Amino acid sequence: MTRTDRVFDNGIRLLLGDSLAVLRDLPGGHVDAVVTDPPYSSGGQSTAARKADPANKYQQSGTKRTYPAMLGDNKDQRSFLAWAALWLSECWRIAKDGSPLLVFSDWRQIPVMTDAVQAAGWTWRGVVVWEKPSARPMQGQFRAQAEYLVFATKGRHARATDRCLPGVFRQGVDTPRKVHLTGKPVPLMRDLLKIARPGGVVLDPFMGGGSTGLACLETGRSFIGIELSPEYYEIASARLAGESAEKSGGA
Ligand SMILES: C[S@@+](CC[C@H](N)C(=O)[O-])C[C@H]1O[C@@H](n2cnc3c(N)ncnc32)[C@H](O)[C@@H]1O
């Protein structure tokens, strides 16, 4: 299979394709951290609700912005667990010993994601909270005001910092700069990257619009990003290449 593989001279490498297939071609033991935001396959109690368009599942009604389609967000719970364990196993192989893993999830999916992380061989170390002050109020019940990151390491943690990092990050969604339906704020990603070795290589197998990559650029880390959607791949390429030159292209 031919796939696009762009390498820029600013330390950014972007691969277009299905992450599971692409990951299988990457060499073992060479990245310093895995930080990723996969499709959650969340958003409902019934199969039909889960298979709904992510633009309806994850956007507040009345929101006017439209984004390119987000792919792969429609798995049932059993296939989600099997699939997540497969790509997380590949990430485990590609990571150096002691590397941290951070995987986004929501309240519905965090139990299955912690199972998948451990099934793939990672040592589960905790859950980090992203508090979103802009979450919509919900009459008569608790506001869904947070998303979560499963934190794990490949065996014994090789610490990248002596600092004590917080377990809760409060950060608003940056709507004007958002290029992806479920895009994460770059300042949040910069804060989270404090867990990753300075100057190291960060892998994101579901890069979307490239927020993790931008945070890597801004903090002096290298980045390997994978995306299935050609539209988001082009958006991320434009955001991350900046003025830098492509070193090698389209395999
Ligand atoms: C939650 S979004 C990531 C958003 C990203 N963190 C950002 O801030 O822009 C997940 C991305 O994974 C992509 N995706 C879904 N299935 C995929 C697969 N099998 N391989 C690679 N990318 C996939 C989707 O198209 C989507 O852009």
Side-chain angles (χ1 to χ4, degrees), residues 46-232:
S46 68
T47 306
R50 236 167 220 260
K51 289 186 185 297
D53 182 347
N56 297 329
K57 286 199 290 187
Y58 302 133
Q59 244 179 172
Q60 299 184 17
S61 52
T63 305
K64 298 265 187 312
R65 289 273 302 263
T66 53
Y67 300 93
M70 176 174 152
L71 306 178
D73 196 82
N74 49 12
K75 289 189 168 46
D76 67 33
Q77 203 70 335
R78 295 183 70 196
S79 58
F80 183 82
L81 173 57
W83 171 74
L86 288 172
W87 65 258
L88 283 160
S89 299
E90 286 302 318
C91 291
W92 187 92
R93 180 185 61 76
I94 294 162
K96 292 178 185 165
D97 288 343
S99 299
L101 165 79
L102 282 175
V103 191
F104 277 94
S105 192
D106 72 355
W107 64 272
R108 251 186 235 284
Q109 295 298 76
I110 201 158
V112 72
M113 187 51 86
T114 56
D115 285 350
V117 162
Q118 293 173 95
W122 294 90
T123 304
W124 181 23
R125 303 241 171 235
V127 171
V128 177
V129 177
W130 169 33
E131 189 202 341
K132 302 180 289 181
S134 55
R136 73 170 184 275
M138 296 170 82
Q139 207 163 27
Q141 60 166 307
F142 298 113
R143 205 174 176 195
Q145 198 172 336
E147 291 182 35
Y148 306 93
L149 293 116
V150 179
F151 169 46
T153 58
K154 180 170 177 176
R156 190 171 170 181
H157 188 192
R159 290 201 184 96
T161 178
D162 291 333
R163 294 175 55 186
C164 299
L165 304 178
V168 178
F169 294 85
R170 183 179 168 88
Q171 180 69 56
V173 175
D174 187 0
T175 309
R177 289 180 64 207
K178 221 173 92 161
V179 299
H180 189 286
L181 175 65
T182 63
K184 301 299 180 280
V186 176
L188 170 71
M189 301 314 299
R190 275 203 310 264
D191 282 343
L192 294 170
L193 283 180
K194 291 180 180 141
I195 198 73
R197 188 172 76 74
V201 182
V202 176
L203 170 66
D204 180 352
F206 302 95
M207 73 171 163
S211 308
T212 311
L214 264 186
C216 286
L217 269 182
E218 292 175 8
T219 60
R221 293 174 173 85
S222 297
F223 177 69
I224 301 172
I226 305 170
E227 172 57 48
L228 182 60
S229 152
E231 285 166 292
Y232 281 124

